[in-house]
Amino acid sequence: MLGGSEAWLLIHVEVQGRKEKRFPQRMYIYHYRLSDRYAVDVVSLGVLTDRSKDFKPEGYQWERWGCGIDFKFPICKLIDYEERWAELEASRNLFALVVMAQLKALRYKGEERRRWKMYLMRILYDRGYDRATILELFRVIDWMMQLPDALEQQFLNDVYTLEEAKNMPYVTSAERFGLKKGRDEGRMEGRMEGRMEGRMEGLKEGEAALLLRQVTRKYGPEAVAHYREQFEQADTDTLLEWSERLLFADQVEDIFKIH
């Protein structure tokens, strides 16, 4: 700390991509669960990536019969930086480029998005970052500002031309193949998850469909894909038991442990 003392704390960053009424309550729930589990100071920060200008929650309040909660947390609203574009362009902070990519991805599609994507790549190369940094940021920007196949090919050709001009052949043919392969596998995984969800919807009383949504929300689609065989083969009683375990499971693996 500035005073010379040491402190151990947890920084909880919650990225929220859409306006949600229960978001402040979730922030409070995550905060007290982290605090209870680790018994250290927890600082929660909300990063709001949606386009709703009036969605700026700063805390969660609850009160009844003299008992109450007043939980406050700072937020960062990315669309506020649209008015500070020049500041982002001038910043040497690598995350400024990520914010710029998010802002343009929210606003534009098609050819206009391709143009801005290439603009950000020129900034990336003009600054002379090392190869590892450029490739890492390239992958992030490429993922955030996805394009239709035809425009993506044009974008990659423009990147190749830019690299030749700067004698910086970083995004090689192998890299391009890896990016395309990753996107293709992502699409295939999405289709597999969609088919799995369709099968689950047909199970009795919808336990499987509800559990699928809960696991996706809490642990992400990768967890669902990894344990899809267990979800597909379980009967309704097992799925109901797993749904109850999900409430207290710290990791997705805990759902399947025998207690």
Side-chain angles (χ1 to χ4, degrees):
M1 308 294 286
L2 293 177
S5 62
E6 293 184 354
W8 177 34
L9 56 86
L10 298 178
I11 300 176
H12 160 222
V13 180
E14 190 71 18
V15 180
Q16 180 69 11
R18 61 184 176 85
K19 184 176 181 180
E20 182 185 353
K21 185 177 180 179
R22 290 190 66 252
F23 176 71
Q25 183 183 28
R26 283 200 296 108
M27 288 289 287
Y28 167 69
I29 292 173
Y30 295 161
H31 182 91
Y32 81 69
R33 284 182 178 175
L34 287 167
S35 179
D36 178 63
R37 179 174 179 81
Y38 296 103
V40 297
D41 290 342
V42 179
V43 177
S44 294
L45 167 67
V47 179
L48 309 180
T49 64
D50 63 289
R51 291 204 58 82
S52 178
K53 293 185 177 181
D54 61 343
F55 180 57
K56 293 186 177 182
E58 296 182 353
Y60 171 68
Q61 292 79 35
W62 175 87
E63 190 276 333
R64 187 179 295 276
W65 301 340
C67 176
I69 296 168
D70 186 8
F71 172 66
K72 298 179 180 178
F73 54 86
I75 62 170
C76 176
K77 187 79 173 186
L78 293 195
I79 61 171
D80 289 346
Y81 281 85
E82 286 184 322
E83 299 176 357
R84 303 166 59 182
W85 185 262
E87 180 181 337
L88 290 174
E89 286 185 313
S91 175
R92 299 292 295 186
N93 188 327
L94 295 178
F95 196 72
L97 283 168
V98 179
V99 174
M100 292 163 72
Q102 173 70 8
L103 292 176
K104 295 308 180 184
L106 285 172
R107 183 172 291 277
Y108 298 112
K109 295 181 179 180
E111 172 60 27
E112 191 67 14
R113 178 181 289 187
R114 185 203 67 79
R115 188 176 69 83
W116 278 109
K117 188 174 181 178
M118 193 62 212
Y119 176 81
L120 295 177
M121 292 308 302
R122 289 194 183 94
I123 293 178
L124 191 59
Y125 280 85
D126 287 344
R127 291 181 178 176
Y129 295 126
D130 60 82
R131 184 179 189 274
T133 300
I134 287 180
L135 284 177
E136 189 68 25
L137 283 171
F138 182 97
R139 290 180 179 276
V140 172
I141 294 173
D142 183 69
W143 174 75
M144 295 177 70
M145 306 183 72
Q146 294 185 23
L147 298 167
D149 290 343
L151 290 176
E152 182 68 15
Q153 187 60 53
Q154 182 182 348
F155 164 74
L156 288 173
N157 289 337
D158 290 342
V159 170
Y160 184 69
T161 300
L162 175 65
E163 289 183 333
E164 282 188 326
K166 293 185 174 294
N167 195 27
M168 300 167 69
Y170 290 166
V171 184
T172 63
S173 297
E175 290 290 340
R176 297 185 192 188
F177 176 76
L179 290 168
K180 184 178 186 302
K181 183 171 181 282
R183 285 193 292 272
D184 291 343
E185 290 176 347
R187 295 190 187 103
M188 179 61 71
E189 181 178 323
R191 287 195 292 269
M192 292 175 63
E193 290 175 7
R195 288 196 296 271
M196 179 177 66
E197 184 170 0
R199 288 193 295 270
M200 288 183 171
E201 288 285 353
L203 292 176
K204 184 179 178 180
E205 299 180 4
E207 288 93 349
L210 176 59
L211 181 59
L212 173 64
R213 290 194 295 270
Q214 290 173 329
V215 172
T216 302
R217 181 69 174 270
K218 188 170 183 179
Y219 304 109
E222 297 84 2
V224 175
H226 184 73
Y227 289 101
R228 62 178 177 270
E229 290 187 7
Q230 286 92 322
F231 288 124
E232 291 174 348
Q233 297 172 7
D235 55 33
T236 54
D237 290 337
T238 301
L239 289 168
L240 181 59
E241 182 178 352
W242 287 349
S243 296
E244 294 175 350
R245 293 180 188 175
L246 176 68
L247 298 175
F248 306 100
D250 296 312
Q251 298 178 340
V252 65
E253 293 83 2
D254 296 337
I255 299 173
F256 308 99
K257 291 181 179 178
I258 298 176
H259 297 280

